[in-house]
């Protein structure tokens, strides 16, 4: 079996890791950082950008830059109308009512398609690092993701050409990366990321990782903190200057970027400032945004959202059947846990200081890689026992939900319940599969509908129909309905992929395969242009700052190589760009050596002059 990579497909950033010799190694994105922004952009020239290059151009191309796509995974458009999204692009319903993204040229993309583009980039990077094709993956999801969101994530991996070996809850992955297999302890994982919040309690005994309880909020994260800060900045600017930045097509994205940066800075500083020159214009001329933000102001804006996690911390302990005194460790996961107010709440909720020794941005991907080594058989000292995060059941007479598998049940699991008919001589029974914690069916999430036909006619209440639910280790649901008298049955795999049919997925896979090579070429072209831009900058600076130290021949060689690279950089021939880069690098290296020799000779001459002068003055 080829190696299995672990991927944390995050709301704000994504990360990937591989297990080598039992240890998880984070695979760098190739663009500097160890995490990659979960951003996709479509440029006016028709290019598709992914990662940091997409994020860099967000200010000038806000409508076609897609961020925080994870929050749309497997969701209906009507669900989103109650929420405020801190995004600049358009979200619309498709013909099935699912939330999709619309870009400037009118094209629409499902969240799975956008996510698959991020996954494809990570797959390409992993293959570069390993030197072999990567096909298998353990992908993580928030523990509180429902069935549809999990299947949508799996569909995104499939479109990207990745075979999902396991869908793993993020807190479980974090525990795997943090806790030694031989330890015996109860731990809580407080996972507060860019778009989701989870809290899980696990018990670790002799390599067996058992999730005791989990809960959370899939629509709460650092993005919401950013949105509050953006609104405050814009309101303050409007109050002071009388200008509403929300009406400008570009200004809001500049404010979002500044707000995110300010949020990060306020985790370590008590005050920060925002300076955005030429943010707007008035009759008097350009208007600049300049203001200071204190940690107190920021904490006041986010206090209610942070406090909303406190009752969930209490609830997860109750569901696990333990108290805070039984916990040995509380682990922080996700970028939002860097905020001092969040850390203070965790300490108050669990009456102990949380652990800061793990990198909250990388620990989930590392745990996914370790889970991959378990799946592949490389590690036999670990066993993962996860739980289902939400109750699953069926609709009964009167629109009431009848639970079959309760939340926090250990996986894999199979449960059955006996039902009967509601009217006389009923020969068909409709099975409506639901997921959620509400008593009424309409308040829960509909997963699937199917019919069991061929029931013998009988008075209502007489037939016996057994409905069985089976959930595998990935949290994927299988349903079976059987007539106890006739033996007739109907079964199905609940396969809600967030609005995409099997044919849709197959078509997207074909498109992805066809564009994979061109996508890689585009990525390589962009990377070479970035290298070229840096070399051009350094060479230009060398000419300007060292003109008095360059002889005519060296200067001409440098200007010629620089001109050659500028010409190649504007083209699309990667080989020509690489050749020009190499040539300019050699010329710059030669010129530096010449200048160093000149500097050395000058120092010697200067030293001789001083020594001679000293002797003449009788100092020696």
């Amino acid at each position: 079996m080829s190696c299995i990579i672990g991927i944390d497909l995050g709301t704000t950033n994504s990360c990937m890791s591989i297990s080598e010799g039992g240890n998880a190694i984070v695979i760098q994105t190739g663009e500097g950082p160890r995490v990659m922004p979960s951003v996709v952009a479509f440029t006016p020239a028709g290019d598709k950008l992914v990662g940091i290059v997409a994020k860099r151009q967000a200010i000038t191309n806000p409508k076609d830059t897609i961020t925080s796509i994870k929050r749309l995974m497997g969701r209906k458009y009507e669900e989103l109308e109650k929420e405020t999204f801190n995004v600049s692009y358009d979200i619309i319903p498709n013909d099935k009512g699912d939330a999709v993204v619309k870009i400037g040229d009118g094209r629409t993309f499902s969240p799975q398609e956008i996510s698959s583009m991020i996954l494809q980039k990570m797959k390409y990077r992993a293959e570069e690092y390993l030197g072999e094709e990567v096909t298998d993956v353990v992908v993580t999801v928030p523990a509180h993701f429902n069935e549809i969101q999990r299947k949508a994530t799996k569909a995104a991996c499939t479109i990207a050409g990745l075979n999902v070996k396991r869908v793993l809850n993020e807190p479980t992955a974090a525990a795997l990366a943090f806790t030694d297999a031989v330890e015996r302890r109860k731990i809580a994982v407080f996972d507060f990321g860019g778009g989701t919040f989870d809290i899980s309690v696990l018990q670790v005994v002799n390599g067996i990782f058992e999730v005791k309880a989990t809960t959370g909020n899939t629509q709460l994260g650092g993005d919401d903190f950013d949105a509050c800060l953006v609104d405050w900045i814009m309101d303050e600017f409007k109050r002071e200057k009388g200008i509403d930045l929300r009406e400008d097509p570009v200004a809001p994205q500049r404010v979002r970027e500044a707000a995110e940066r300010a949020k990060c800075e306020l985790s370590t500083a008590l005050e920060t400032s925002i300076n955005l020159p030429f943010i707007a214009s008035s009759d008097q001329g350009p208007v600049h945004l300049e203001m200071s933000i204190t940690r107190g102001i920021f904490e006041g804006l986010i206090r209610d959202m942070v406090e909303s996690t406190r009752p969930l911390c209490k609830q997860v302990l109750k569901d696990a059947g333990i108290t805070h005194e039984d916990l040995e460790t509380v682990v922080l996961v996700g970028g939002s846990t860097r905020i001092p107010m969040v850390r203070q709440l965790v300490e108050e909720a669990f009456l102990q200081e949380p652990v800061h020794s793990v990198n909250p941005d990388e620990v989930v991907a590392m745990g996914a890689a370790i889970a991959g080594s378990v799946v592949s058989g490389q590690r036999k000292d670990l066993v993962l026992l996860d739980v289902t995060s939400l109750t699953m059941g069926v609709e009964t007479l009167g629109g009431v939900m009848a639970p079959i598998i309760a939340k926090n049940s250990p996986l894999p699991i199979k449960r059955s319940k006996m039902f009967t008919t509601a009217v006389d001589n009923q020969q068909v029974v409709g099975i409506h599969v639901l997921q959620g914690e509400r008593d009424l069916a309409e308040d829960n999430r509909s997963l699937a509908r199917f019919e069991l036909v061929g029931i013998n006619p009988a008075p209502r209440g007489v037939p016996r129909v057994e409905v069985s639910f089976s959930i595998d280790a990935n949290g994927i649901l299988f349903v079976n309905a059987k007539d106890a008298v006739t033996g007739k049955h109907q079964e199905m795999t609940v396969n809600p992929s967030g609005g995409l049919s099997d044919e849709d997925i197959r078509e997207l896979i074909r498109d992805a395969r066809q564009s994979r090579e061109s996508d890689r070429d585009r990525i390589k072209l962009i990377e070479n242009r970035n290298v070229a831009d840096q070399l051009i900058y350094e060479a230009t600076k060398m000419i300007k700052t060292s003109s008095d130290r360059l002889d005519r021949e060296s200067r001409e060689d440098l200007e010629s190589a620089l001109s050659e690279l500028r010409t190649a950089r504007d083209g699309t021939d990667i080989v020509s760009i690489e050749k020009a880069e190499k040539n300019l690098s050699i010329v710059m290296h030669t010129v530096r050596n010449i200048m160093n020799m000149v500097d050395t000779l000058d120092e010697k001459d200067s030293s001789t002059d001083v020594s001679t002068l000293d002797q003449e003055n009788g100092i020696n």
Side-chain angles (χ1 to χ4, degrees):
M1 179 183 291
S2 62
C3 65
I4 302 175
I5 62 170
I7 291 183
D8 171 18
L9 183 61
T11 305
T12 308
N13 294 297
S14 295
C15 186
M16 57 184 166
S17 181
I18 186 74
S19 179
E20 295 182 350
N23 297 315
I25 307 296
V26 174
I27 302 175
Q28 292 195 0
T29 63
E31 298 166 337
R34 289 158 65 90
V35 297
M36 185 181 81
S38 302
V39 183
V40 174
F42 301 90
T43 69
D47 290 331
K48 179 179 68 182
L49 309 177
V50 180
I52 197 166
V53 291
K55 186 175 182 179
R56 283 175 182 159
Q57 55 83 72
I59 290 176
T60 57
N61 184 29
K63 282 288 184 181
D64 291 344
T65 302
I66 316 302
T67 60
S68 302
I69 195 64
K70 184 175 178 177
R71 301 190 78 165
L72 303 184
M73 291 288 276
R75 303 190 68 198
K76 295 291 185 182
Y77 180 77
E78 62 182 7
E79 298 175 38
L80 311 180
E81 295 178 325
K82 304 174 185 176
E83 301 175 28
T84 301
F85 279 80
N86 184 36
V87 297
S88 56
Y89 53 87
D90 293 327
I91 304 171
I92 64 170
N94 63 8
D95 55 359
K96 300 175 184 176
D98 301 302
V100 297
V101 171
K102 181 181 178 181
I103 63 173
D105 63 6
R107 285 184 294 167
T108 60
F109 296 90
S110 69
Q112 298 91 305
E113 290 177 83
I114 298 296
S115 297
S116 72
M117 296 171 190
I118 298 169
L119 290 163
Q120 280 179 330
K121 176 77 172 282
M122 301 185 81
K123 179 179 187 290
Y124 168 60
R125 290 300 183 202
E127 289 173 341
E128 267 194 335
Y129 175 82
L130 295 169
E132 62 182 67
E133 185 180 8
V134 170
T135 56
D136 296 332
V137 64
V138 170
V139 64
T140 62
V141 295
H144 221 55
F145 253 24
N146 62 35
E147 180 80 3
I148 294 176
Q149 290 168 308
R150 289 171 187 270
K151 290 296 293 184
T153 303
K154 193 172 181 180
C157 292
T158 303
I159 295 168
L162 292 167
N163 176 37
V164 178
K165 305 301 288 187
R166 180 151 188 179
V167 179
L168 188 65
N169 287 344
E170 289 167 2
T172 307
L176 274 174
F178 170 77
T179 307
D180 194 291
V182 299
E183 292 181 314
R184 181 187 182 95
R185 59 167 65 182
K186 291 185 178 71
I187 65 175
V189 179
F190 187 95
D191 185 353
F192 208 158
T196 59
F197 166 71
D198 286 314
I199 175 73
S200 297
V201 172
L202 300 92
Q203 178 172 285
V204 184
V205 179
N206 297 327
I208 300 175
F209 287 72
E210 181 181 3
V211 180
K212 306 300 288 185
T214 189
T215 189
N217 184 347
T218 58
Q219 303 306 316
L220 175 65
D223 279 2
D224 301 289
F225 299 164
D226 294 346
C228 279
L229 193 52
V230 166
D231 286 340
W232 182 84
I233 293 170
M234 289 184 172
D235 290 342
E236 285 294 298
F237 186 80
K238 185 177 181 180
R239 182 179 62 80
E240 292 179 7
K241 307 292 185 180
I243 300 174
D244 189 355
L245 295 177
R246 296 176 178 86
E247 297 176 357
D248 188 280
V250 175
Q253 183 58 37
R254 292 183 67 189
V255 175
R256 287 187 192 98
E257 190 174 87
E260 182 183 359
R261 187 166 54 250
K263 176 190 69 174
C264 296
E265 290 172 355
L266 288 171
S267 292
T268 55
L270 294 177
E271 185 177 9
T272 188
S273 61
I274 291 180
N275 295 285
L276 298 175
F278 305 99
I279 191 72
S281 60
S282 66
D283 295 338
Q284 287 73 40
V287 182
H288 313 301
L289 191 159
E290 299 175 324
M291 64 175 64
S292 295
I293 303 173
T294 64
R295 185 184 291 179
I297 290 174
F298 177 60
E299 289 182 345
L301 294 172
I302 68 171
R303 186 174 303 278
D304 289 346
M305 287 183 286
V306 174
E307 283 294 326
S308 70
T309 66
R310 191 185 298 269
L312 295 177
C313 294
K314 294 180 179 178
Q315 183 64 46
V316 78
L317 291 177
K318 181 180 178 182
D319 292 344
I322 64 174
T323 68
H324 61 81
E325 295 174 344
D326 298 318
L327 285 177
E328 282 87 0
T329 310
V330 180
V331 181
L332 299 180
V333 179
S336 296
T337 59
R338 291 189 172 95
I339 298 173
M341 174 181 274
V342 173
R343 294 191 172 189
Q344 181 181 349
L345 179 139
V346 175
E347 188 170 347
E348 292 172 357
F350 295 105
L351 299 182
Q352 62 175 284
E353 185 177 356
V355 172
H356 304 157
S357 60
V358 292
N359 187 323
D361 297 323
E362 300 176 357
V363 66
V364 171
M366 294 171 68
I370 293 173
S373 68
V374 174
V375 172
S376 65
Q378 294 177 15
R379 291 197 64 170
K380 303 182 184 300
D381 58 331
L382 299 177
V383 177
L384 311 181
L385 301 175
D386 223 324
V387 297
T388 178
S389 59
L390 295 167
T391 299
M392 294 186 182
V394 296
E395 182 179 357
T396 58
L397 186 64
V400 176
M401 173 170 164
I404 295 180
I405 296 181
K407 71 172 183 177
N408 292 321
S409 296
L411 299 179
I413 189 173
K414 182 175 182 179
R415 290 285 185 270
S416 301
K417 198 172 243 187
M418 199 68 74
F419 297 90
T420 189
T421 52
V423 297
D424 292 339
N425 300 317
Q426 186 174 339
Q427 294 180 296
V428 178
V429 173
I431 308 295
H432 184 194
V433 184
L434 302 164
Q435 185 174 35
E437 306 305 319
R438 304 287 291 276
D439 292 329
L440 296 179
E442 63 181 13
D443 296 326
N444 294 303
R445 187 64 188 261
S446 174
L447 297 181
R449 294 176 184 266
F450 67 98
E451 292 182 337
L452 175 62
V453 299
I455 300 174
N456 282 342
R460 71 174 189 171
V462 172
R464 292 289 181 265
V465 177
E466 182 184 36
V467 178
S468 300
F469 279 15
S470 176
I471 308 177
D472 66 13
N474 294 316
I476 307 303
L477 175 64
F478 306 86
V479 180
N480 181 285
K482 180 180 179 181
D483 182 357
V485 176
T486 65
K488 290 188 176 181
H489 70 279
Q490 178 71 38
E491 60 185 9
M492 67 176 297
T493 300
V494 178
N495 192 26
S497 53
L500 294 179
S501 66
D502 289 343
E503 181 54 38
D504 290 336
I505 294 174
R506 282 193 290 269
E507 184 177 347
L508 289 169
I509 291 172
R510 286 194 294 269
D511 292 343
R513 283 175 178 167
Q514 290 171 0
S515 64
R516 193 166 296 160
E517 287 304 317
S518 60
D519 285 347
R520 290 189 176 190
D521 289 343
R522 273 199 293 268
I523 291 171
K524 195 168 183 180
L525 176 61
I526 291 167
E527 290 171 348
N528 273 277
R529 283 176 173 172
N530 286 336
V531 173
D533 287 339
Q534 183 63 30
L535 284 172
I536 289 169
Y537 170 79
E538 292 176 2
T540 304
K541 184 178 179 181
M542 180 181 287
I543 292 172
K544 286 182 178 179
T545 60
S546 307
S547 58
D548 58 331
R549 298 157 61 199
L550 289 175
D551 60 83
R552 189 180 68 178
E553 184 179 354
S554 296
R555 184 185 181 94
E556 289 177 351
D557 289 345
L558 193 56
E559 288 177 341
S560 175
L562 177 59
S563 177
E564 180 187 348
L565 180 55
R566 279 178 172 153
T567 302
R569 185 250 176 255
D570 294 335
T572 58
D573 187 345
I574 295 174
V575 175
S576 296
I577 297 174
E578 290 178 340
K579 182 180 177 181
E581 286 171 352
K582 184 177 180 181
N583 183 41
L584 180 56
S585 296
I586 293 171
V587 172
M588 288 174 67
H589 179 72
T590 302
V591 170
R592 284 195 188 99
N593 287 340
I594 292 172
M595 288 194 299
N596 288 336
M597 290 174 62
V598 171
D599 291 342
T600 302
L601 290 172
D602 289 345
E603 288 175 5
K604 281 186 176 181
D605 292 343
S606 174
S607 174
T608 302
D609 291 344
V610 171
S611 176
T612 303
L613 181 63
D614 289 344
Q615 290 175 0
E616 289 175 354
N617 291 336
I619 294 177
N620 291 335

